[in-house]
Amino acid sequence: GDSVTQMEGPVTLSEEAFLTINCTYTATGYPSLFWYVQYPGEGLQLLLKATKADDKGSNKGFEATYRKETTSFHLEKGSVQVSDSAVYFCALSVPNNNDMRFGAGTRLTVKP
Amino acid sequence: GAVVSQHPSWVICKSGTSVKIECRSLDFQATTMFWYRQFPKQSLMLMATSNEGSKATYEQGVEKDKFLINHASLTLSTLTVTSAHPEDSSFYICSAHLAGITYEQYFGPGTRLTVT
Protein backbone atom coordinates (compact mmCIF):
# COMPACT_ATOMS: atom_id res chain seq x y z
CA GLY A 1 0.00 0.00 0.00
CA ASP A 2 0.85 3.66 -0.16
CA SER A 3 3.24 4.77 2.54
CA VAL A 4 5.73 7.40 3.56
CA THR A 5 9.01 6.89 5.36
CA GLN A 6 10.78 9.85 6.86
CA MET A 7 13.97 10.36 8.76
CA GLU A 8 13.57 9.64 12.42
CA GLY A 9 14.43 12.34 14.85
CA PRO A 10 14.89 14.08 16.96
CA VAL A 11 17.08 16.50 15.08
CA THR A 12 18.91 19.22 16.98
CA LEU A 13 20.63 22.03 15.12
CA SER A 14 22.20 25.34 15.92
CA GLU A 15 20.67 28.47 14.52
CA GLU A 16 21.67 29.17 10.91
CA ALA A 17 22.60 25.53 10.27
CA PHE A 18 21.50 23.68 7.14
CA LEU A 19 18.53 21.36 7.51
CA THR A 20 17.65 18.21 5.60
CA ILE A 21 14.86 15.87 6.57
CA ASN A 22 14.64 12.86 4.30
CA CYS A 23 11.34 11.51 3.03
CA THR A 24 10.72 8.64 0.64
CA TYR A 25 7.43 7.26 -0.51
CA THR A 26 5.77 4.20 -1.97
CA ALA A 27 2.66 4.67 -4.06
CA THR A 28 0.77 2.72 -6.66
CA GLY A 29 -0.54 5.78 -8.46
CA TYR A 30 0.74 9.31 -9.01
CA PRO A 31 0.69 10.90 -5.56
CA SER A 32 0.82 14.48 -4.49
CA LEU A 33 3.43 15.12 -1.81
CA PHE A 34 3.29 17.42 1.17
CA TRP A 35 5.24 18.67 4.12
CA TYR A 36 3.26 19.71 7.15
CA VAL A 37 4.56 21.43 10.28
CA GLN A 38 3.10 21.07 13.75
CA TYR A 39 4.02 23.52 16.48
CA PRO A 40 3.56 22.46 20.11
CA GLY A 41 -0.08 22.07 21.06
CA GLU A 42 -1.33 22.97 17.61
CA GLY A 43 -2.73 21.24 14.57
CA LEU A 44 -0.99 20.70 11.27
CA GLN A 45 -0.13 23.52 8.95
CA LEU A 46 0.69 22.96 5.32
CA LEU A 47 4.27 24.00 4.73
CA LEU A 48 4.66 23.16 1.05
CA LYS A 49 3.45 20.76 -1.58
CA ALA A 50 4.22 19.32 -5.01
CA THR A 51 1.70 17.63 -7.23
CA LYS A 52 3.85 16.15 -10.00
CA ALA A 53 7.35 14.95 -10.72
CA ASP A 54 10.11 17.57 -10.73
CA ASP A 55 7.87 20.14 -9.05
CA LYS A 56 9.57 22.11 -6.31
CA GLY A 57 7.50 23.27 -3.37
CA SER A 58 8.80 26.18 -1.35
CA ASN A 59 7.66 28.31 1.54
CA LYS A 60 9.32 30.30 4.36
CA GLY A 61 12.77 29.30 3.14
CA PHE A 62 11.92 25.59 3.06
CA GLU A 63 12.13 23.64 -0.18
CA ALA A 64 11.39 20.13 -1.37
CA THR A 65 11.58 18.67 -4.87
CA TYR A 66 9.38 15.80 -6.06
CA ARG A 67 11.85 13.20 -7.35
CA LYS A 68 10.05 10.37 -9.07
CA GLU A 69 13.24 8.51 -9.98
CA THR A 70 14.25 8.22 -6.34
CA THR A 71 10.68 8.38 -4.92
CA SER A 72 11.80 11.11 -2.58
CA PHE A 73 10.64 14.49 -1.31
CA HIS A 74 13.39 15.66 1.03
CA LEU A 75 12.83 18.87 3.00
CA GLU A 76 15.64 21.41 3.08
CA LYS A 77 16.31 24.83 4.54
CA GLY A 78 19.55 26.69 4.19
CA SER A 79 19.53 28.50 7.53
CA VAL A 80 17.22 27.42 10.31
CA GLN A 81 15.90 29.67 13.05
CA VAL A 82 14.82 28.97 16.59
CA SER A 83 11.24 29.58 15.48
CA ASP A 84 11.50 26.59 13.11
CA SER A 85 11.49 24.24 16.09
CA ALA A 86 8.51 21.96 15.50
CA VAL A 87 7.54 18.53 14.26
CA TYR A 88 7.61 18.04 10.50
CA PHE A 89 5.45 15.48 8.73
CA CYS A 90 5.89 14.23 5.20
CA ALA A 91 2.66 13.05 3.60
CA LEU A 92 1.22 11.81 0.35
CA SER A 93 -2.18 11.57 -1.19
CA VAL A 94 -3.34 9.75 -4.27
CA PRO A 95 -5.96 11.60 -6.34
CA ASN A 96 -9.49 10.29 -6.07
CA ASN A 97 -8.51 8.11 -3.17
CA ASN A 98 -9.24 10.53 -0.32
CA ASP A 99 -6.53 8.91 1.77
CA MET A 100 -3.62 10.87 3.09
CA ARG A 101 -0.66 8.92 4.46
CA PHE A 102 1.70 10.47 6.95
CA GLY A 103 5.24 9.74 7.92
CA ALA A 104 6.11 9.28 11.56
CA GLY A 105 7.15 12.89 11.99
CA THR A 106 10.56 14.40 12.72
CA ARG A 107 11.02 16.65 15.71
CA LEU A 108 13.36 19.54 15.03
CA THR A 109 14.89 21.62 17.79
CA VAL A 110 16.92 24.67 16.86
CA LYS A 111 19.14 26.10 19.56
CA PRO A 112 20.31 29.72 19.62
CA GLY B 1 -9.19 30.73 2.47
CA ALA B 2 -9.82 27.05 3.27
CA VAL B 3 -9.93 27.44 7.04
CA VAL B 4 -11.04 24.59 9.27
CA SER B 5 -11.95 25.18 12.90
CA GLN B 6 -12.50 22.81 15.78
CA HIS B 7 -14.36 23.26 19.01
CA PRO B 8 -13.47 22.88 21.76
CA SER B 9 -9.70 23.21 21.58
CA TRP B 10 -9.36 21.20 24.75
CA VAL B 11 -11.76 19.34 27.00
CA ILE B 12 -11.53 17.39 30.23
CA CYS B 13 -14.25 14.88 31.04
CA LYS B 14 -14.85 12.12 33.53
CA SER B 15 -14.81 8.43 32.70
CA GLY B 16 -18.11 7.20 31.43
CA THR B 17 -19.29 10.50 30.03
CA SER B 18 -19.55 11.47 26.39
CA VAL B 19 -17.94 14.41 24.68
CA LYS B 20 -18.67 15.99 21.32
CA ILE B 21 -16.06 17.65 19.12
CA GLU B 22 -17.10 19.89 16.26
CA CYS B 23 -15.24 20.43 13.02
CA ARG B 24 -16.28 23.26 10.74
CA SER B 25 -15.14 24.45 7.36
CA LEU B 26 -15.41 28.22 7.67
CA ASP B 27 -15.16 29.50 4.13
CA PHE B 28 -15.82 26.51 1.93
CA GLN B 29 -18.11 23.54 1.62
CA ALA B 30 -16.69 20.17 2.49
CA THR B 31 -18.50 17.09 1.29
CA THR B 32 -15.85 14.97 2.94
CA MET B 33 -14.12 15.47 6.27
CA PHE B 34 -11.60 13.28 8.01
CA TRP B 35 -10.97 12.53 11.65
CA TYR B 36 -7.51 11.69 12.89
CA ARG B 37 -6.12 10.73 16.24
CA GLN B 38 -2.64 11.58 17.39
CA PHE B 39 -0.93 10.10 20.42
CA PRO B 40 1.91 12.01 22.07
CA LYS B 41 5.00 12.19 19.90
CA GLN B 42 3.40 10.04 17.24
CA SER B 43 2.01 10.55 13.79
CA LEU B 44 -1.61 10.98 12.79
CA MET B 45 -3.81 7.93 12.46
CA LEU B 46 -6.88 8.19 10.27
CA MET B 47 -9.93 7.14 12.25
CA ALA B 48 -12.74 7.70 9.79
CA THR B 49 -13.91 9.50 6.71
CA SER B 50 -17.05 11.53 7.19
CA ASN B 51 -19.33 12.05 4.19
CA GLU B 52 -22.10 14.62 4.20
CA GLY B 53 -25.49 12.99 4.27
CA SER B 54 -24.25 9.44 4.63
CA LYS B 55 -22.60 7.13 7.11
CA ALA B 56 -18.97 7.55 7.98
CA THR B 57 -16.38 5.07 6.81
CA TYR B 58 -14.26 3.82 9.68
CA GLU B 59 -10.73 2.53 9.50
CA GLN B 60 -10.00 -0.98 10.63
CA GLY B 61 -9.80 -1.24 14.39
CA VAL B 62 -11.80 1.91 15.12
CA GLU B 63 -15.00 1.24 17.08
CA LYS B 64 -17.82 2.97 15.26
CA ASP B 65 -20.15 2.67 18.25
CA LYS B 66 -17.64 4.43 20.45
CA PHE B 67 -16.62 7.16 18.04
CA LEU B 68 -19.86 8.46 16.56
CA ILE B 69 -19.47 10.67 13.53
CA ASN B 70 -22.19 12.83 12.08
CA HIS B 71 -21.80 15.02 9.01
CA ALA B 72 -25.07 16.88 8.99
CA SER B 73 -24.16 19.72 6.67
CA LEU B 74 -21.55 20.71 4.13
CA THR B 75 -19.69 22.72 6.75
CA LEU B 76 -20.00 20.68 9.93
CA SER B 77 -18.90 17.25 11.10
CA THR B 78 -19.01 16.09 14.70
CA LEU B 79 -17.15 13.37 16.52
CA THR B 80 -18.71 12.10 19.73
CA VAL B 81 -16.60 9.97 22.01
CA THR B 82 -19.11 7.91 23.94
CA SER B 83 -18.52 6.43 27.37
CA ALA B 84 -15.04 7.87 27.42
CA HIS B 85 -12.20 6.12 29.20
CA PRO B 86 -8.72 7.37 30.08
CA GLU B 87 -7.27 5.48 27.11
CA ASP B 88 -9.35 7.70 24.84
CA SER B 89 -7.29 10.65 25.95
CA SER B 90 -5.61 11.95 22.84
CA PHE B 91 -5.33 14.79 20.36
CA TYR B 92 -8.11 14.64 17.78
CA ILE B 93 -7.64 16.48 14.50
CA CYS B 94 -10.13 16.91 11.69
CA SER B 95 -9.49 17.88 8.11
CA ALA B 96 -11.42 18.58 4.95
CA HIS B 97 -10.73 18.97 1.31
CA LEU B 98 -12.23 21.33 -1.21
CA ALA B 99 -14.88 19.80 -3.37
CA GLY B 100 -13.26 18.46 -6.51
CA ILE B 101 -9.72 18.87 -5.14
CA THR B 102 -9.28 15.60 -3.38
CA TYR B 103 -5.52 15.52 -3.20
CA GLU B 104 -5.13 18.19 -0.53
CA GLN B 105 -6.58 18.38 2.96
CA TYR B 106 -6.89 21.39 5.25
CA PHE B 107 -6.47 20.65 8.91
CA GLY B 108 -8.17 21.99 11.97
CA PRO B 109 -6.16 23.08 15.01
CA GLY B 110 -6.99 19.93 16.95
CA THR B 111 -8.84 19.12 20.16
CA ARG B 112 -7.04 17.75 23.15
CA LEU B 113 -9.23 15.36 25.11
CA THR B 114 -8.30 14.31 28.61
CA VAL B 115 -10.43 11.69 30.35
CA THR B 116 -10.02 11.48 34.10
Side-chain angles (χ1 to χ4, degrees):
Chain A
D2 301 338
S3 66
V4 174
T5 302
Q6 68 180 95
M7 186 173 86
E8 290 194 21
V11 174
T12 302
L13 297 173
S14 298
E15 206 165 22
E16 299 185 1
F18 184 84
L19 168 71
T20 299
I21 301 178
N22 290 337
C23 172
T24 58
Y25 68 90
T26 302
T28 52
Y30 297 95
S32 294
L33 302 173
F34 306 84
W35 277 100
Y36 286 89
V37 57
Q38 185 178 33
Y39 297 100
E42 299 183 12
L44 270 67
Q45 298 177 28
L46 178 65
L47 182 60
L48 53 85
K49 66 182 179 184
T51 59
K52 61 183 187 296
D54 299 326
D55 270 1
K56 176 188 282 188
S58 61
N59 184 26
K60 299 181 182 180
F62 291 89
E63 293 183 341
T65 300
Y66 189 142
R67 301 285 188 199
K68 190 176 179 182
E69 64 275 14
T70 54
T71 62
S72 65
F73 193 55
H74 304 322
L75 182 68
E76 296 182 338
K77 185 174 185 181
S79 177
V80 293
Q81 305 300 314
V82 173
S83 57
D84 294 327
S85 298
V87 180
Y88 293 81
F89 292 95
C90 186
L92 70 80
S93 72
V94 178
N96 302 318
N97 194 15
N98 279 338
D99 270 353
M100 180 163 270
R101 303 290 175 178
F102 289 87
T106 302
R107 182 175 301 276
L108 170 66
T109 301
V110 180
K111 296 187 174 181
Chain B
V3 177
V4 176
S5 71
Q6 282 184 241
H7 178 80
S9 55
W10 59 271
V11 57
I12 301 173
C13 71
K14 293 185 177 181
S15 284
T17 62
S18 296
V19 61
K20 179 185 288 187
I21 302 170
E22 293 185 349
C23 176
R24 293 183 185 272
S25 57
L26 296 186
D27 51 1
F28 67 102
Q29 294 184 332
T31 54
T32 304
M33 291 183 173
F34 305 88
W35 287 96
Y36 294 85
R37 184 173 181 177
Q38 185 182 30
F39 291 101
K41 298 185 179 181
Q42 294 189 27
S43 189
L44 279 71
M45 291 175 46
L46 180 65
M47 297 175 66
T49 302
S50 169
N51 299 297
E52 188 267 336
S54 64
K55 291 183 178 180
T57 303
Y58 290 82
E59 295 296 301
Q60 191 172 9
V62 178
E63 298 176 61
K64 60 181 180 181
D65 294 330
K66 180 168 188 60
F67 298 100
L68 300 179
I69 291 173
N70 182 274
H71 195 150
S73 76
L74 286 171
T75 59
L76 173 64
S77 175
T78 60
L79 168 67
T80 301
V81 183
T82 62
S83 187
H85 288 100
E87 56 265 31
D88 299 325
S89 299
S90 191
F91 196 50
Y92 293 88
I93 303 175
C94 74
S95 71
H97 62 62
L98 296 173
I101 305 178
T102 59
Y103 61 82
E104 183 171 348
Q105 295 180 19
Y106 298 90
F107 287 82
T111 296
R112 182 162 303 285
L113 169 64
T114 301
V115 184
T116 61

